[in-house]
Amino acid sequence: MCPKLRSTDSSAKSILKPGAQIVVDTLIEQGVETMFGYLGGVVLPLFDKLYDAPINFIIPRHEQGGCHMADGYARASGKVGVVVATSGPGACNLVTGLATAMMDSVPLVAITGQVRTDLIGNDAFQEADTTGITRPVTKYNCIVKDVKDLARTIREAFYIASTGRPGPVLVDIPVDIELEKCSSDGSKEMNLPGYKVQTKGHARQISMAAKAINESECPVLYVGGGVVISDASEELRKFALKANLPVTMTLLGLGCYDQSRAESLDMLGMHGSAYANYAVQECDLLIAVGARFDDRVTGNVKTFAPKAKIVHIDIDPASISKNVRADIPVVGDAKIILSELVKEVEHRDRKEWFKKIAEWKKKYPFRYDNNSTTIKPQYVIEEICRQTNGDAIVTTGVGQNQMWTAQFYKFKRARQFISSGGLGTMGYGLPAAIGAQIAMPGQVVVDIDGDHSFNMTMTELSTAVEHKLPIKVCILNNGFMGMVRQWQELFYNKRYSKSYLANPDYATVARAMGAAGITVEKKADVAKAVKAMLAEKMPCVVDFKVEREENVWPIVPAGKSIHEMNGLDILESLA
Amino acid sequence: MKHIISALVENKPGVLAHVAGMFAARAFNIDSLAVGRTEDPDLSRMTIVVVGDDRVVEQVRKQLAKIIPVVKVQDFVDQPVVARDLMLIVISAAPEKRAEILSLIDVFKGKVVDIGQKFVMVEVSGPEAKIDAFINMCRPYGIKSVARTGTIAMPRQFKAEDNEA
Ligand SMILES: Cc1ncc(C[n+]2csc(CCOP(=O)(O)OP(=O)(O)O)c2C)c(N)n1
Ligand SMILES: [Mg+2]
C-alpha cells in the first residue's frame, strides 16, 4: 500500500542538499513541530541543520527520558513522537523507551546517528549494532546506506509508525550519509510491498458478530488501547448503548468509556474490579475490541471467560487467537468496524444480567479506609480527581501508584490516562508527563508516581523547569517498592527482601532543581497541598508521605482465574 | 505436525535476522530454513519447516506476515507439494567396499561429485525421508561429513503430474 505523499517543494528538484538537511526537511514535511533528543558526535550534522529549523526541540537529561517524552507527547496528542539520539550509548539508552512504546502500540520515529559507513563493523568508537539491538523492540527499523534513500525511508518510517497497529520505527543514519549531498528529491514514492493494513472489517464477519450479540443473554464488552488509538470512543459509546452492553476496560483502555455510567464495569484483570472479573467469568459472549488478552487481564488463560463465545475485533491479525481462541475474528480498525456493527445490533433488555451486575457493583466497589488518620494513597488520588474535576491528563509510575490511579481516578475521555501498561516501565511517569504537557499546553497534567519509580528518571525535572512546564508530580511516597513489598507480604511470608531504600527529601530536590516542592505529612493537609500544586505555574513536586504498607485490592494471584481474587473480604469489611 | 511455510521477502539486509530473531523471541522451533533468490532480484524466498500444532503454526504465519519486509506467507499444509532437500555427503570408502557403495548411490539416484583413495563425496537430492534413508544406509561405511540445504518446496501446479514424492 503506497499512498501518494505530500511533497513540499517540487521546485527544489535540482538543488543539492546534504543528508542532514533532507532529514530536517522531511520531518517538517511530515508535520513535525516538536521533537526530543540528545546530541553526540555523529548527529552533529543533523543538529547543525536543526539550528535554523522551525521545530521546537526538547533536550532531555537522558535519552530514555527523551524517548518517554516523545511517547507521552504521542499518546496525549495522537501525533507521531520523534526522538533523536547519537550512536552507541545514545542509541542504547533509547531501548527501554522503544520497548515501552512497542508494547503499548505508540507511534514513534527514532532517528539515531551511526558511525561512518566505512567504519561499520570495526568496533569503531561509539559504534553499536543499533538496528540489531532494537529490532525486537521496534515495529520496523533500518539503516540508510545511500543518501538517495533517506527521504523515502523517513516517510516510510512515519507511515509505518502511525498506521495499522502503531509502533516505534527506528532509522539509523551513518554520519557520512548525513553529510553527503544529494538532489533533495531523491525517490519520493514509498516502496513497502510487504506492508498491508486492513482497516475495513469483513462484512460477513461483522454480521456474524452482530448476530452473536443479538442472541446473547449476558454479554460483556471488553475494550482496550486499540479504541483509544483508533479514536473510536464515540462509536464505542453509540454501539454499547444501542446494543445495551456492560463495558469493561483494560488499563490502556481507561478513558474510552465514561466510568460514571451504570454500565461501566471499570478495569478488569489482576487488580481490576470484582464486578468486571465476575461478569467476564459469567458472560456468554465476550466482545473484545482493540484488546489483546494480556496475561494481566486473563489470569489463568485456560479458565478465562469459560462460558463465553469470543468475538475479537483488532487491527492486528496476529493478536487474534494468540492467547485466547476467537470464535468470530474481525480484522480491521475499531472505529470503522464499530460504526458498521452498530447498524446491525438490536437493543435487548437483559434485565437479569444487569441486575446481577448492579449487585456485584454494589457489593464490591473499590474501597479503602477513609476514616484512617494516616494518609491513604487512594485518598490522595480521589482528592486530585476531585480538584481537577476528573479532567486532568494523568501519567503514572509503575506499581501500586499505577493501580490505585487506575482504580480511583475516574476518567472521562480517551488520551487522558497515560501509563506504561505492557512493559510496566518504572520511571515512565515524569518524562511522559513532560511530553504530554508539551503536546497539550492548556491542560492540567499530573504525574501520580511511586517514590521508587520517580527515583529512576527524576533528573528530567530540570527539563520541565527549563521549559517552565506546569506539570504536577504527586509522589505517593510509601518508602517501598510498594507493589513488590505487597507480593512479598502475600506470597513470601512478609520477608521484605531489599524492597526499600533511602529516599531523598523530594521537596528539597525539587527546589534545588528550580521547581516547587511541597511535603505533606498529615491527612488534613492533603487538600490544601493539592490546591497549592494546581495553582503553581512552575513544575511542582508534592511528596505525600502515605501509609507505608497499604495494599492494592483485589488481587488475582499469579496463575489463578480472575474470579479467584484475594482481598474481597477486606473490601467488604470496609463497607 | 510438520508445516512447510514459504515466505517471499524483500531482498534487504536484516530480513533474515528479523525472521530468525522473531522465531527465537517467540520460542518457535525451526526445523530447517532455506533462503535463496528468486527470478525477481528484489525478492528472496525463505522456506521454513516448523513443527507445532495448528495454533502455533497459525501464530508463526501471522507473526511472519507482520514483519514489514515479508511480502507474502503461505503454509503448504493441506495441499500437494513437491518438497526437496539437497545434500552433499562424504562417505569413507575403502577400496573393497567401493562397488557396494556405488550401487547404493545408484539406487538413490545420487551422483559422485568427488572421489579419493578412501572416500567418495556424493550429491543426493529428494524428499527429506529419502535423504534420511540414504544417510542411514551410509552409516555402516562411516560418514565423514554432511551438508544439507533444508527443504525447499512448491505446490504442485498440475494435479495430474506425478513424480515420486
Ligand atoms: C524499570 C523497572 N524495574 C523494575 C520493575 C519491577 N517493579 C514493578 S513495581 C516495582 C516497585 C515500584 O515502586 P514504587 O515506584 O515506589 O511504586 P509503589 O508500588 O510503591 O506505588 C518494581 C520494582 C519495573 N516495573 N520496572
Ligand atoms: Mg513506593
Side-chain angles (χ1 to χ4, degrees), chain A residues 209-220:
Chain A
K211 183 162 175 282
I213 293 164
N214 293 338
E215 282 167 3
S216 165
E217 301 280 345
C218 36
V220 168

Side-chain angles (χ1 to χ4, degrees), chain A residues 451-452 476 478 480 482:
Chain A
D451 47 335
H452 287 59
L476 303 179
N478 50 17
F480 273 111

Side-chain angles (χ1 to χ4, degrees), chain A residues 11-23:
Chain A
S11 60
K13 241 184 194 121
S14 55
I15 302 170
L16 286 179
K17 295 200 266 189
Q21 188 66 53
I22 295 175
V23 173

Side-chain angles (χ1 to χ4, degrees), chain A residues 400-401 449-453 476-483 503:
Chain A
Q400 294 182 315
N401 60 87
D449 221 329
D451 47 335
H452 287 59
S453 292
L476 303 179
N477 186 354
N478 50 17
F480 273 111
M481 299 175 194
M483 186 56 89
N503 281 323

Side-chain angles (χ1 to χ4, degrees), chain A residues 135 196 316-318 320 325, chain B residues 17 55 58-59 62 66 71:
Chain A
R135 191 168 292 120
K196 299 160 205 92
D316 176 13
I320 295 178
R325 175 119 231 132
Chain B
R55 268 184 86 159
E58 181 184 335
Q59 262 299 303
K62 286 174 167 178
K66 198 168 161 174
V71 178

